[in-house]
Amino acid sequence: MAWITLNEVSLAYGHVPLLDRVAFALEPGERVGIVGRNGTGKSSFLKILAGLEKPDDGWIQLQTGLRRAYVTQEPVLDDAATIFETVSIGLAHVRQLCDRYLAHEPDTDLDALQNEIEALDGWRWEQRIAETLSRLDLDPLRLVGTLSGGLRKRVALAQALVAPPDVLLLDEPTNHLDMDAIGWLADLLRTFRGAMVVISHDRDFLDRVTTRMVELDRGQLNSYDGNFSTYQRLKEERLAQEAVVQAKADKLLAQEEVWIRKGVEARRTRAQARIERLGRLREQRAQRRDVVGQVRMEVNRGDASGKLVAELEDVSKSFVDHGTKKTVVRRFSATVLRGDKIGLIGPNGAGKTTLLKLILGQLPPDEGRVRTGTKLEVAYFDQMRNQLDLNATLEDFISPGSEWIEIGNRRTHVKSYLSDFLFSPARALSPVSSLSGGERNRLLMARLFARPVNVLVLDEPTNDLDIETLELLEQLLTDFDGTVFLVSHDRRFLDNVVTSTLVFEGDGQWREYEGGVEDWLTQSMRLHGRAPVWGHTTSGPSSAHDKTPKLTAPAAEAPPATAASTPAPARRKLSYKEQRELEALPGRIAQLEEEQQAIDQRLADGSLYVTAPQEAAQWAQRHADIEDELMQALERWEQLGASS
């Protein structure tokens, strides 16, 4: 039997229905991921499940005695309280029962009260808090006001888990967590015995945690069994089917509209049924909620920088923290060239921002030499959104004192530019303070990309962005011909964008690796004989009071193999036919990619699904076939290249 059941539930703000007569059931042991565009009502839906918000219509049924725990995006905690005091709020009801029993209040059935306390394991409440804090690696005596955003999120999670709940409801739990903490949280949630509903934009996290995905789209809940990757595949198939069905309906409606305008034939009595059907078709078309448009991002590229962006030789930087010298960068050397896309990977507090400032010449090193390139036009995306003027209107924030924005050789009205980022013209004069977290991130990007730039510095740009916008941002950064520095804990985002990574390896040591996160993990395994500790740990992160990031220094490199060691097998020489095949493969791959791009352009606006649905389906199938052919060609190229 379902623990939570929703039926015919509706919720609207103004004239926009966020939930339109939806049904939902949460079964015991399920781990459900909620996805959808920003502003579609995901957080409101989660609050309804938590009992914090009531729907406008419909009914909700809960299993008797069900315990629910809700962790919001930005936990509101008492800064003056200790972690122990804060977490104990999760057991407030149990503590009250124990206090009542010990007070021997008159007219109290002590036997019934004791049975209730024992059923809740109430006499062990202090021990349960201590066990939970130990599991989450939190210092019970530390004040909440001294914690970082990631640790505050962990305290809120401890407050929810200490009960323990039957249903855990999490709203963007990975925001402000580093890669190690995200991996630890995923491991923790996989072992959670109750049911869970989580809103997240982190695709790798959703893949690791969820057993079912639910998409909130145009007021409806669409459920997909499996993790995020399965959901993506099934959604593509559903949208293609939906496009074909809608195209047929639109074609029939157009034919009937032509017929009704003929007039004479339509006035015959026997045509009344056809007229009534036309009325139903019109009503169905009017009620259809079309897919919300996509963000259209374009970077205002400035003049090209010099080929050299930065060169660092044996650079070191230290700070004094509470009387103790802390080295965050130690004897680091690197060369950054125009067009590089570099990801910075490390736990919170490792010094990623300091390293960035050293690379861009904004912070002098204590030792070593930094040489920066010429014609650098740098734009920053700040995860704390300190650049936002909450009192300004959207229009003034994007283009102060002007109604026009110039991007390259194109001049665009500010309202039109805002609409590219899904802000309607009616909202152009709204204050920035009225925007949600995801909308504020979109607005910051709109301002960032409106200025001439050839170096982009993005500090946690993925927080609060919906997955579709994330994928568009990935494509934009991949196509950008300037230099990109990307600080992120989103593994998949880094893998899809960066060409190299700078990884913190403890004690101020940074090492450069080619490729993204998966490449770093593979190279680290080859280099050190094991995977790095953080990012793959299955235990809790470092102690809350320990300011040293938890990362074990790399093991000493293995000594050179002795003569007695088994020699590596010699590479097999390619045959003449294989050599010719290897030489032809790059051209074949380029040809397939060009054909795939041409199909993308043909299907981009969706009109072909309306005018020729069968042809559109054939092109879509050809696109999928090309993908398979490309993978085979790339694998064959790698296989032959390894032997040459």
Side-chain angles (χ1 to χ4, degrees):
M1 181 178 177
W3 278 354
I4 302 179
T5 305
L6 276 62
N7 196 23
E8 297 290 310
V9 166
S10 297
L11 180 70
Y13 285 108
H15 65 284
V16 179
L18 299 179
L19 301 173
D20 191 3
R21 304 177 69 83
V22 302
F24 175 79
L26 180 65
E27 300 290 340
E30 276 196 306
R31 298 194 299 271
V32 179
I34 306 293
V35 293
R37 300 291 291 269
N38 288 333
T40 54
K42 300 187 298 294
S43 293
S44 296
F45 174 67
L46 201 66
K47 288 178 181 177
I48 288 176
L49 294 179
L52 301 175
E53 193 166 322
K54 292 185 178 180
D56 299 331
D57 199 6
W59 56 269
I60 303 171
Q61 183 177 355
L62 301 177
Q63 186 84 345
T64 304
L66 189 74
R67 297 190 299 272
R68 295 171 288 178
Y70 170 70
V71 181
T72 184
Q73 282 191 50
E74 303 293 340
V76 179
L77 307 174
D78 183 359
D79 289 346
T82 65
I83 290 178
F84 184 91
E85 292 168 342
T86 304
V87 173
S88 68
I89 295 173
L91 287 173
H93 174 63
V94 172
R95 293 170 58 194
Q96 288 171 1
L97 294 177
C98 293
D99 291 343
R100 283 178 56 199
Y101 183 89
L102 296 174
H104 296 287
E105 295 177 353
D107 302 325
T108 300
D109 186 343
L110 293 180
D111 290 336
L113 192 57
Q114 182 172 352
N115 290 337
E116 187 176 357
I117 292 171
E118 289 177 351
L120 296 172
D121 194 20
W123 297 121
R124 294 179 60 256
W125 69 267
E126 290 181 282
Q127 184 180 346
R128 285 162 59 187
I129 292 175
E131 289 171 353
T132 303
L133 293 180
S134 175
R135 188 181 183 192
L136 303 189
D137 224 348
L138 291 167
D139 179 359
L141 300 180
R142 188 169 177 183
L143 292 177
V144 171
T146 65
L147 304 180
S148 65
L151 286 176
R152 291 174 72 93
K153 185 70 71 73
R154 209 183 305 168
V155 170
L157 186 63
Q159 190 182 88
L161 289 173
V162 74
D166 299 311
V167 177
L168 186 60
L169 306 166
L170 305 174
D171 194 350
E172 295 286 7
T174 62
N175 279 2
H176 310 300
L177 296 184
D178 59 36
M179 201 177 293
D180 182 33
I182 292 172
W184 160 83
L185 178 61
D187 291 339
L188 176 71
L189 295 178
R190 280 203 300 265
T191 62
F192 179 62
R193 293 184 179 180
M196 182 192 74
V197 181
V198 57
I199 298 172
S200 180
H201 62 267
D202 190 316
R203 293 158 291 181
D204 183 74
F205 175 78
L206 289 172
D207 260 345
R208 297 166 69 181
V209 167
T210 58
T211 58
R212 177 162 66 109
M213 296 297 302
V214 173
E215 180 189 40
L216 180 51
D217 179 30
R218 292 165 281 171
Q220 296 298 313
L221 295 175
N222 300 309
S223 181
Y224 303 84
D225 289 332
N227 61 10
F228 180 80
S229 295
T230 305
Y231 147 75
Q232 279 191 308
R233 177 176 55 80
L234 295 176
K235 182 189 174 182
E236 270 188 35
E237 295 174 2
R238 183 182 65 81
L239 286 178
Q241 293 169 359
E242 184 179 288
V244 172
V245 171
Q246 291 183 355
K248 290 179 178 177
D250 290 342
K251 183 178 180 181
L252 178 59
L253 176 60
Q255 291 172 345
E256 296 301 280
E257 292 287 4
V258 170
W259 171 80
I260 197 70
R261 283 171 175 75
K262 292 181 179 178
V264 176
E265 185 180 355
R267 284 196 292 271
R268 297 174 183 170
T269 304
R270 64 184 181 183
Q272 285 303 308
R274 193 171 179 181
I275 295 172
E276 290 172 3
R277 184 180 67 170
L278 174 59
R280 290 194 298 271
L281 287 171
R282 286 172 173 171
E283 184 179 356
Q284 290 170 4
R285 183 62 186 89
Q287 290 179 351
R288 185 195 304 169
R289 294 184 66 186
D290 294 324
V291 177
V292 179
Q294 288 188 333
V295 176
R296 291 187 292 276
M297 294 181 180
E298 180 183 358
V299 177
N300 188 359
R301 293 171 171 81
D303 295 333
S305 66
K307 184 175 181 180
L308 177 72
V309 174
E311 185 178 49
L312 293 81
E313 295 181 6
D314 292 331
V315 168
S316 296
K317 188 67 180 179
S318 301
F319 295 99
V320 176
D321 184 18
H322 295 87
T324 304
K325 185 178 179 181
K326 179 182 178 182
T327 301
V328 293
V329 179
R330 188 186 302 275
R331 300 186 65 82
F332 176 70
S333 299
T335 300
V336 181
L337 302 178
R338 182 180 65 231
D340 285 348
K341 296 177 176 60
I342 300 174
L344 280 81
I345 301 176
N348 291 332
K352 299 185 289 291
T353 302
T354 300
L355 180 58
L356 269 176
K357 290 181 177 179
L358 288 169
I359 292 173
L360 296 173
Q362 298 173 351
L363 190 66
D366 297 337
E367 300 175 10
R369 184 175 72 90
V370 177
R371 182 161 67 100
T372 56
T374 58
K375 300 181 181 178
L376 299 184
E377 297 177 3
V378 184
Y380 287 86
F381 179 92
D382 174 21
Q383 65 163 321
M384 303 309 294
R385 308 186 190 119
N386 292 326
Q387 303 167 36
L388 286 174
D389 181 358
L390 298 181
N391 297 319
T393 64
L394 274 61
E395 189 174 285
D396 287 339
F397 180 75
I398 292 296
S399 182
S402 174
E403 294 183 355
W404 299 92
I405 292 175
E406 292 188 5
I407 299 180
N409 298 322
R410 183 166 55 86
R411 197 163 181 252
T412 304
H413 194 277
V414 65
K415 285 187 172 65
S416 175
Y417 182 72
L418 283 169
S419 68
D420 288 345
F421 288 81
L422 302 186
F423 296 108
S424 66
R427 299 188 68 186
L429 298 178
S430 301
V432 174
S433 59
S434 67
L435 303 181
S436 67
E439 289 173 329
R440 291 183 185 187
N441 270 14
R442 282 211 311 269
L443 186 68
L444 266 180
M445 288 183 185
R447 173 166 165 153
L448 187 75
F449 298 157
R451 284 151 176 72
V453 59
N454 52 39
V455 177
L456 281 173
V457 181
L458 304 176
D459 187 0
E460 289 293 352
T462 64
N463 283 350
D464 300 318
L465 289 184
D466 59 60
I467 290 170
E468 288 185 47
T469 307
L470 268 181
E471 292 172 345
L472 288 166
L473 179 59
E474 284 176 357
Q475 189 60 50
L476 179 139
L477 295 177
T478 302
D479 296 339
F480 180 55
D481 53 13
T483 307
V484 176
F485 294 96
L486 179 58
V487 178
S488 179
H489 301 299
D490 188 322
R491 291 177 56 165
R492 192 162 301 182
F493 187 75
L494 285 166
D495 278 336
N496 292 343
V497 172
V498 302
T499 57
S500 64
T501 52
L502 301 178
V503 181
F504 178 75
E505 298 196 330
D507 194 29
Q509 299 288 343
W510 292 84
R511 185 189 293 270
E512 184 174 9
Y513 292 87
E514 292 296 319
V517 177
E518 293 302 321
D519 299 299
W520 156 53
L521 295 174
T522 302
Q523 293 172 58
S524 183
M525 179 66 78
R526 291 173 182 166
L527 186 64
H528 307 309
R530 58 169 174 77
V533 173
W534 69 275
H536 274 259
T537 180
T538 56
S539 59
S542 58
S543 171
H545 58 276
D546 183 3
K547 295 182 180 179
T548 304
K550 180 183 180 182
L551 180 67
T552 303
E557 295 188 22
T562 61
S565 301
T566 304
R571 289 187 174 182
R572 179 180 64 84
K573 186 176 180 181
L574 296 179
S575 66
Y576 174 78
K577 183 178 179 181
E578 289 174 329
Q579 187 65 41
R580 292 293 300 271
E581 183 184 2
L582 177 62
E583 292 170 356
L585 275 171
R588 172 60 177 161
I589 291 169
Q591 180 184 359
L592 288 170
E593 289 176 339
E594 289 174 4
E595 184 181 355
Q596 197 173 49
Q597 289 174 2
I599 295 174
D600 285 336
Q601 293 174 0
R602 182 183 291 268
L603 299 176
D605 62 0
S607 61
L608 194 63
Y609 285 100
V610 178
T611 58
Q614 290 184 345
E615 182 183 353
Q618 291 172 356
W619 283 117
Q621 182 59 48
R622 176 55 187 156
H623 190 283
D625 293 340
I626 291 174
E627 192 69 31
D628 293 336
E629 291 176 32
L630 266 174
M631 289 304 299
Q632 293 172 10
L634 288 168
E635 289 172 0
R636 182 61 174 163
W637 191 22
E638 183 178 359
Q639 179 185 356
L640 293 175
S643 301
S644 62

